[in-house]
Each structure stands twice: as structure tokens, then as C-alpha cells.
Amino acid sequence: MSTHILRIDASARREGSISRRLSDRIVAHLAPETVTHRDLAQPLPLIDEAWIGANFTPEVDRTDAQRKALSLSDALIDEVRAADTLVIGLPIYNFGVPAGFKAWIDLVARAGVTFRYTEAGPEGLLTGKRAVIAVTSGGTETGSEIDFATGYVRHMLSFIGITDVEMVSADRLALDAEGTLANAEAQVDRLAA
């Protein structure tokens, strides 16, 4: 049961977005006690040289400027830590994830914080969470050889420890918007609450 959802909307569109519409339905279906909303239509900064320098400086040696450079990343990670379920509205743009979502991943995937390297390979540190992804596309079929979004999202979530990932797919909306949306809404209704 979801008690705290982190809802992430990756669509650049605030009005008329199918991924937002599906995310609304998922959140209502899961009926959490708390929802934290991260809207990536409000752009996140891209990582830069100062951020990378701060990230790779041991915490005890960081300057105030380096701590400030990592403060948004720390806040985004805290949002994930606080949630037991992530609901991600994810349109496919040009066969991949929107740039805003990639920026979110870059700020959240941090060695020693959300994953670590072991002798057995990388280990995600944000375990015990569930993710439900509302994937939408105009023409890209999810899971097809031209879908570079869903595999990436599954991999990155698993990389940071979130392995319980479910996809609600409203793909190829340009071909049959009404039927595709009805199918996706039925998928939401079948989700375990």
C-alpha cells in the first residue's frame, strides 16, 4: 500500500498532457496519505563542472559553495527517500526520455549516496520502493527496438535500487488515441493498491 507518493511529471506540457492525465488517475487509484509533486516542466539545472567537482569531493572536505552546488540534488534524493512509491508521468520524446527527466536522473544518481560500487558490481541504495511509470507516445511502441525510454528508465531506477517497476503504457496515440487511452486507463485500474 502506498502511503507516500513522489509524483514526477516529465511532460513539458501542463495542459492536454496524457502522461499527466494518467498520473492523476494512478495517484487517485493508489490513494496515498501524502503526495510530493516534482514537476519537471519547471526545468532543473544540468550538471556542470562545479557540480561534478563538488560531487566527487568527500563530504567532510566540501566547501560551502560545493554544498550549495549539491543542495538541489540532495533535496531531490530526499524526496525519493521519503516516498514508498514513485509515480512518473513519462512521455517519449524523439524515442527517448525528455531532457528534464534526464536532468533529474543525473541529479539523483550519485555514487555513494544512491548507489555504490561493490566487488559484485553496482548496488542501488534506495531499496524497498515501487515505481509506476505512465508512458505515453505519439508513434513509438513501448518495448520496441526504437523505444529508448522505457529500458533506460527501468535500468536507472534499478541502478539506484528501485526494482519493483510497473509500466502503464499509452503508446502510439497518433494511431488510435481513444482506444489507446482506454486501454491505459484499464491498466491503471488493475494496479495493486
Side-chain angles (χ1 to χ4, degrees):
M1 173 178 229
S2 298
T3 59
H4 186 165
I5 285 178
L6 170 58
R7 175 181 174 165
I8 301 167
D9 282 306
S11 177
R13 293 173 34 177
R14 289 196 171 103
E15 297 296 323
S17 165
I18 300 298
S19 65
R20 288 175 188 270
R21 178 175 165 178
L22 288 173
S23 291
D24 287 343
R25 190 177 185 107
I26 293 166
V27 170
H29 177 75
L30 298 179
E33 293 174 13
T34 307
V35 177
T36 300
H37 189 206
R38 175 60 62 177
D39 191 343
L40 300 180
Q42 175 64 42
L44 295 173
L46 301 179
I47 61 172
D48 59 14
E49 187 173 9
W51 187 94
I52 292 170
N55 187 45
F56 287 102
T57 298
E59 189 172 355
V60 296
D61 297 330
R62 287 182 189 143
T63 65
D64 288 342
Q66 288 175 318
R67 284 187 200 86
K68 184 177 179 186
L70 294 175
S71 63
L72 175 59
S73 173
D74 292 337
L76 294 173
I77 291 166
D78 286 345
E79 288 176 355
V80 178
R81 281 187 179 131
D84 54 72
T85 302
L86 281 66
V87 173
I88 302 172
L90 188 80
I92 295 178
Y93 289 175
N94 299 314
F95 313 104
V97 299
F101 188 76
K102 175 63 166 72
W104 181 84
I105 288 288
D106 287 344
L107 290 165
V108 168
R110 283 177 50 196
V113 180
T114 59
F115 70 92
R116 66 180 170 202
Y117 292 107
T118 70
E119 290 180 8
E123 176 184 46
L125 301 175
L126 300 176
T127 59
K129 299 179 185 306
R130 173 187 187 193
V132 181
I133 318 297
V135 182
T136 61
S137 77
T140 303
E141 183 179 357
T142 56
S144 70
E145 63 182 23
I146 61 170
D147 167 14
F148 300 103
T150 59
Y152 171 76
V153 171
R154 276 187 191 279
H155 175 76
M156 289 309 302
L157 290 174
S158 175
F159 189 73
I160 62 173
I162 303 169
T163 57
D164 181 1
V165 179
E166 299 166 88
M167 297 280 177
V168 171
S169 180
D171 60 354
R172 303 176 71 190
L173 286 158
L175 302 177
D176 177 14
E178 189 175 311
T180 298
L181 188 54
N183 180 50
E185 289 173 343
Q187 291 173 54
V188 172
D189 295 343
R190 290 191 299 268
L191 288 171

